[in-house]
Amino acid sequence: MSAQPEMPPRTAMEHRTAMQHRTAVRVHPELRPAFEALPEFSDPYEDIEGTREGFHAMLAAVPADRTGVDSERFEIPRADGSALTVEVYRPEGGASSGGGEGAATGQDARTADGGAGRGLPAVLHFHGGGYALGRSLPGQDRTAIALCRELPAVVITVEYRLAPEHRYPAGVEDCYLALEWAAERADGLGIDPARIALAGKSAGGGLSAAVALMARDRGGPAIVHQSLCVPDLDDRVGADEAADAERTDAEGSGAEGADAEGALSTRVTTGRGVQRAWKHYLPEGMAVADAYAAAARATDLSALPPAYVLVCDLDPMRDAGLAYARRLMDAGVPVTVRNVPGAWHGFELFAPETRVAKEMTAHWTGQLRAALYPVG
């Protein structure tokens, strides 16, 4: 039998086209129109202030529907004299935070809790955005509003300090401070202190996992559930891709090949993009992240609260999320896992009306509701 002739090496453009085709085939059919309409992806850190301003302008263009929800902002003093801002969302007619320890929980809270009058469960919601952006406008956190209405629950959003101006551990310490504040003032906030959960997407999922570790290690407030949606919790994600890209750039192969990570390379988050976020979040000179920066680095995951881990098929953080879920299981922690086939990181922002997006949201919201309103 004659030997097969060697195929000539692919050019960078040919490699990228082939990768695009393979990835496009994997995109969920219902999501393909949104995928094909995705805008060109750019490095948000090139002008982080401009990126934040653009994000807020987008939010301001379509104000959130606050029907049935009230909110109130608070300033929590930090040890250095500065203040952390949190916003407390609650169903209309629920408890007023200004009522002190004797505050009534409100008819909505009593009804939702079967008449027990213990107050509503609470969700500390940590926003995503690569640890560098993603903060909602005052009173406009759509996720908090939806959870407040649908669970129902008191939802506390945390305006943690952002990188790169404030690198680790500033952001996660802010989130833990908010947890302590909420637990200490549970009565006045109309919260049942036995039903406090942590929730977040992307960087917010990473912060939720880290705060759960901190609460365990520091003997802090009890947490009944951690909801980790497409969590960014491992600083090693994308390291090989970033290194390959740097080598390609150094060898002068051209921009075509530098980002040849597949069809998503110029559209949404890739491993190289994840590495950019960690580069700006971790302190300069930190060679290895610790467990409160990247929860996947923790060596002991025992005695943590039950977890929900959601991943997306085309997300570079998928495997790290699944690995963390498996390690939680191995440590004896109850875990529910869901993968969204054919979806990329943050797809629901571009295709919110698709069945795929609605089913994903309904599933993680339902799991959070089940944790906060257990049967029996």
Side-chain angles (χ1 to χ4, degrees):
M1 180 181 292
S2 60
Q4 293 291 325
E6 291 187 6
M7 296 296 291
R10 285 178 172 175
T11 66
M13 177 62 79
E14 289 171 336
H15 174 75
R16 184 172 180 176
T17 300
M19 290 291 289
Q20 286 176 340
H21 174 72
R22 288 201 298 272
T23 305
V25 170
R26 291 177 57 199
V27 172
H28 192 287
E30 190 185 14
L31 300 178
R32 284 179 187 165
F35 171 75
E36 292 167 359
L38 286 172
E40 192 80 3
F41 183 77
S42 60
D43 182 357
Y45 298 96
E46 290 181 354
D47 178 11
I48 192 63
E49 285 300 329
T51 301
R52 291 168 184 162
E53 289 173 6
F55 177 71
H56 287 153
M58 179 183 68
L59 294 179
V62 184
D65 177 7
R66 288 171 49 93
T67 304
V69 174
D70 293 325
S71 68
E72 190 174 1
R73 293 171 72 80
F74 297 88
E75 301 292 317
I76 304 173
R78 299 188 183 97
D80 64 2
S82 62
L84 165 65
T85 301
V86 299
E87 187 151 7
V88 179
Y89 292 80
R90 60 172 57 82
E92 286 182 353
S96 170
S97 59
E101 293 187 1
T105 55
Q107 184 60 41
D108 286 352
R110 289 195 298 271
T111 301
D113 199 30
R118 291 180 297 158
L120 284 170
V123 178
L124 270 83
H125 172 239
F126 308 133
H127 67 78
Y131 300 98
L133 61 147
R135 185 177 295 166
S136 293
L137 298 172
Q140 294 287 302
D141 191 302
R142 288 169 168 78
T143 299
I145 292 168
L147 291 176
C148 181
R149 270 198 299 251
E150 296 172 19
L151 293 176
V154 174
V155 183
I156 302 170
T157 61
V158 183
E159 297 186 2
Y160 57 86
R161 285 169 288 182
L162 300 175
E165 300 93 327
H166 303 283
R167 294 173 180 262
Y168 171 79
V172 71
E173 289 291 353
D174 281 350
C175 293
Y176 185 75
L177 177 62
L179 171 64
E180 289 187 313
W181 177 85
E184 289 170 0
R185 289 157 181 77
D187 285 347
L189 294 169
I191 290 172
D192 177 0
R195 293 185 295 161
I196 297 176
L198 309 174
K201 290 182 180 180
S202 193
L207 289 167
S208 296
V211 171
L213 288 166
M214 296 170 82
R216 179 199 65 183
D217 296 344
R218 297 178 180 181
I223 298 166
V224 72
H225 183 74
Q226 50 178 326
S227 182
L228 315 179
C229 294
V230 292
D232 188 1
L233 44 64
D234 194 336
D235 64 300
R236 294 162 291 192
V237 170
D240 291 342
E241 294 165 13
D244 288 344
E246 288 179 4
R247 279 195 298 272
T248 301
D249 290 341
E251 293 167 0
S253 298
E256 298 277 357
D259 244 349
E261 296 175 29
L264 305 180
S265 61
T266 61
R267 299 186 181 189
V268 297
T269 303
T270 63
R272 194 178 184 186
V274 174
Q275 279 297 299
R276 288 193 190 103
W278 284 104
K279 177 182 177 182
H280 290 86
Y281 177 58
L282 296 177
E284 294 181 11
M286 177 179 272
V288 178
D290 65 35
Y292 299 156
R297 294 280 192 174
T299 57
D300 178 12
L301 299 183
S302 63
L304 288 169
Y308 174 79
V309 179
L310 170 76
V311 298
C312 287
D313 218 11
L314 305 181
D315 187 345
M317 292 179 266
R318 181 196 66 179
D319 291 349
L322 293 174
Y324 193 72
R326 176 59 184 266
R327 290 185 58 217
L328 286 169
M329 295 178 201
D330 290 344
V333 177
V335 184
T336 299
V337 180
R338 184 178 180 94
N339 174 58
V340 185
W344 60 91
H345 190 87
F347 80 96
E348 70 277 10
L349 300 176
F350 300 93
E353 297 304 315
T354 60
R355 184 176 64 181
V356 178
K358 291 179 178 179
E359 288 180 348
M360 180 195 76
T361 300
H363 193 266
W364 79 262
T365 302
Q367 290 294 313
L368 185 53
R369 183 185 300 110
L372 296 173
Y373 292 94
V375 176

